[in-house]
Amino acid sequence: MDVCVIGAGYVGLTTSTVLANYGHRVSCVEKQKEKVEMLKKGELPIYEPGLEKMLVSSIEAGNLDFTDDLAKAVRKSLIIFIAVGTPQNSDGTANLRFFDEVINELSPLIDTYKIIITKSTVPLGTNEDLHLKLIEKGVPQTNFDVVSNPEFLREGTAISDMLHPDKVVIGVRNHTAIQTLQKLYHFIDAPYIITNLTGAEMIKYASNAFLAVKISFINELAKISDAYNVDITDVALGIGMDPRIGHHFLQAGLGYGGSCFPKDLAALEHQSMKKNVTPHLLQAAQMINNSLIDDYLAKIEKEIPAYRNMKITVWGASFKPNTDDTRHSQALKLIERLTEEGCNIHVFDPVVFPKVKNTTAYKDMYESIQQADLLIVATEWRQFIEADWAIVKEKMKGNILVDCRNCIQPYTLKRNGLKYIGVARP
Ligand code: UGA
């Protein structure tokens, strides 16, 4: 099929590349000319495991092209994906500027039947509005169908999440487009959840909100467990065995960050308040998450009162492993807070070279801990988990490791003469 994907961010690039890899002819439209040129050469502006290889082979196979010419891409396509960003306004609401711009530019171009699929996470009712706006702008109703098809891919595992989703959520006003979508996604073997446009939008928000609540739940239990000398990893294991609860997203630590959970929870809270529903649980989840950096600073102060005068190395800057994304990164927030406290901070991350004021960033993991008094692990990259602790002990001046992600086995540290401080791990 001929497909146009508008927006070359995480979702747009993964969607374009995977569809092209499975035989569709995809034009990915991006406004930034430099980004288009870069992508045409097969260079990715983001770090996403496996994506660049698939991108290059799709370009070489002639199935994937990048352009800033929206009209050309739209005219030749039956399927139009909207995958532009919906960032957060300062009051927490979703900013639909890019989305609205696309609609304005798109509407005069729809002169034959198109299926317009929204991938972007948009507030409840946005796709209904999109349908109405297109009609208001004079696009005949027979010329289009709007579909809400939210994406559930995670940064770091984007390709496999798109290829093997646990479900495909399709929001529609009528069933006309469904068969075409099934053909489009012929390579996906997953159940379809068909609902109305707003239902699909809600499934996306509800999914992210539930996961964020789950993380805040385990972080709250970690605080209580800590006070009672209970190991939170045992608690997570114990409750996770119950299939009604499940093991995923029960890792206590610095809390959630990234471009999705913080933004989507704030946006859902606003949408709820707009209808006079106070979302107590969503508010509590955000409050808990926002309190975690302070809690860790207090914990570090309690365990190591002299930390402000120490040489501190922080491992990790991205909001989670396997990505170079630092948006709403709890690791970066911790680094910033430590520098505000006047600490001497040194940072290493496998893919991010963070430019934080008053910190020194390193390209080599072991060089970053030379003569350090204290090592803090803020993101659970595999290479930190598998570090050679004998080398760490030899390079560091001190012997304390604070594991803010509970990702390291305490006994491997002890064996190497290092002192371990985890999250609720007595
Ligand atoms: C999230 C969702 O998981 C995806 O399904 C969704 O498509 C995406 O948002 C989106 O809306 O686009 P992502 O933000 O890439 O994906 O990252 P996650 O893997 O969900 O992690 C989010 C944050 O939660 C990270 O900061 C991570 O460190 C933290 N986390 C995760 C925990 O603190 N504990 C856990 O047990 C799990």
Side-chain angles (χ1 to χ4, degrees):
M1 289 181 189
D2 286 300
V3 179
C4 163
V5 177
I6 306 171
Y10 264 101
V11 172
L13 280 175
T14 309
T15 306
S16 303
T17 307
V18 170
L19 288 174
N21 190 58
Y22 281 87
H24 298 298
R25 289 172 299 272
V26 182
S27 306
C28 180
V29 183
E30 169 58 50
K31 277 207 153 150
Q32 296 173 42
K33 277 205 164 72
E34 326 78 73
K35 205 166 167 186
V36 170
E37 289 315 311
M38 199 179 160
L39 287 162
K40 271 177 174 295
K41 284 188 259 166
E43 291 166 18
L44 261 193
I46 50 168
Y47 174 84
E48 180 60 40
L51 192 58
E52 193 159 284
K53 197 167 158 228
M54 198 184 262
L55 178 103
V56 170
S57 66
S58 298
I59 294 174
E60 281 170 2
N63 283 345
L64 178 59
D65 190 21
F66 294 92
T67 176
D68 60 354
D69 189 343
L70 179 74
K72 205 168 143 201
V74 167
R75 290 230 156 84
K76 67 177 181 195
S77 302
L78 164 67
I79 312 272
I80 318 288
F81 276 102
I82 305 179
V84 292
T86 51
Q88 194 175 337
N89 286 318
S90 53
D91 65 354
T93 53
N95 183 328
L96 290 180
R97 188 163 62 92
F98 302 123
F99 190 81
D100 290 340
E101 261 173 40
V102 167
I103 299 168
N104 288 337
E105 288 172 32
L106 194 60
S107 49
L109 304 173
I110 304 173
D111 40 22
T112 55
Y113 177 74
K114 313 275 179 206
I115 300 175
I116 301 161
I117 308 178
T118 302
K119 276 269 174 211
S120 309
T121 302
V122 289
L124 308 172
T126 305
N127 279 293
E128 276 293 338
D129 284 351
L130 165 57
H131 175 92
L132 296 175
K133 270 185 197 157
L134 290 176
I135 291 172
E136 268 169 28
K137 285 175 186 290
V139 185
Q141 204 161 337
T142 45
N143 264 4
F144 72 94
D145 274 301
V146 170
V147 174
S148 169
N149 173 216
E151 186 49 67
F152 298 91
L153 60 83
R154 290 161 297 173
E155 293 182 18
T157 50
I159 293 181
S160 109
D161 287 346
M162 180 158 177
L163 289 177
H164 311 287
D166 38 31
K167 75 274 171 186
V168 177
V169 175
I170 307 283
V172 283
R173 292 186 114 236
N174 59 58
H175 284 208
T176 323
I178 289 171
Q179 267 196 349
T180 313
L181 280 171
Q182 284 172 327
K183 276 191 211 153
L184 178 77
Y185 288 143
H186 63 89
F187 51 91
I188 294 178
D189 179 19
Y192 277 59
I193 312 289
I194 316 269
T195 178
N196 64 15
L197 291 173
T198 313
E201 292 160 355
M202 186 52 145
I203 292 173
K204 170 70 191 194
Y205 275 113
S207 183
N208 277 359
F210 186 87
L211 294 169
V213 165
K214 205 172 172 190
I215 296 168
S216 282
F217 171 80
I218 200 70
N219 282 322
E220 181 156 88
L221 286 206
K223 294 187 200 189
I224 306 170
S225 298
D226 203 24
Y228 281 89
N229 256 355
V230 170
D231 189 326
I232 192 65
T233 60
D234 292 344
V235 178
L237 187 66
I239 61 173
M241 291 278 181
D242 184 333
R244 292 170 302 174
I245 297 174
H247 289 292
H248 298 290
F249 281 65
L250 285 181
Q251 195 175 348
L254 274 187
Y256 60 79
S259 62
C260 306
F261 287 179
K263 160 178 86 80
D264 292 349
L265 258 78
L268 186 55
E269 182 190 349
H270 268 87
Q271 292 165 65
S272 175
M273 297 295 268
K274 210 165 114 186
K275 298 284 183 188
N276 298 320
V277 179
T278 307
H280 299 290
L281 196 54
L282 299 183
Q283 289 172 339
Q286 294 173 87
M287 230 153 66
I288 294 168
N289 203 60
N290 293 338
S291 71
L292 294 171
I293 303 284
D294 281 338
D295 286 354
Y296 278 94
L297 286 174
K299 192 177 167 70
I300 292 172
E301 172 136 47
K302 189 173 156 226
E303 305 269 356
I304 318 148
Y307 78 95
R308 287 188 188 83
N309 305 319
M310 290 180 162
K311 177 175 178 183
I312 303 176
T313 300
V314 180
W315 277 355
S318 56
F319 84 97
K320 66 170 191 177
N322 300 320
T323 177
D324 60 354
D325 198 340
T326 55
R327 284 175 287 177
H328 292 276
S329 162
Q330 293 288 86
L332 265 196
K333 276 188 207 156
L334 180 70
I335 292 168
E336 281 159 5
R337 283 294 302 278
L338 286 166
T339 54
E340 279 162 26
E341 303 257 324
C343 299
N344 173 13
I345 299 295
H346 301 255
V347 185
F348 171 78
D349 185 281
V351 296
V352 181
F353 195 72
K355 292 188 182 79
V356 183
K357 224 167 98 190
N358 298 330
T359 64
T360 314
Y362 291 80
K363 291 218 159 96
D364 181 86
M365 176 167 136
Y366 293 109
E367 207 183 301
S368 72
I369 51 169
Q370 197 80 42
Q371 290 299 304
D373 296 292
L374 172 63
L375 172 59
I376 299 178
V377 175
T379 310
E380 67 276 32
W381 282 90
R382 180 146 292 282
Q383 58 195 96
F384 304 158
I385 299 170
E386 293 171 354
D388 185 328
W389 299 111
I391 299 181
V392 173
K393 174 74 179 61
E394 185 199 305
K395 299 249 176 207
M396 280 178 71
K397 189 159 106 215
N399 70 340
I400 306 174
L401 181 133
V402 176
D403 177 7
C404 294
R405 293 287 178 184
N406 277 357
C407 60
I408 290 155
Q409 291 293 351
Y411 63 83
T412 56
L413 291 190
K414 268 194 201 154
R415 241 191 357 232
N416 288 286
L418 291 159
K419 185 179 168 203
Y420 178 84
I421 300 174
V423 183
R425 290 183 100 179

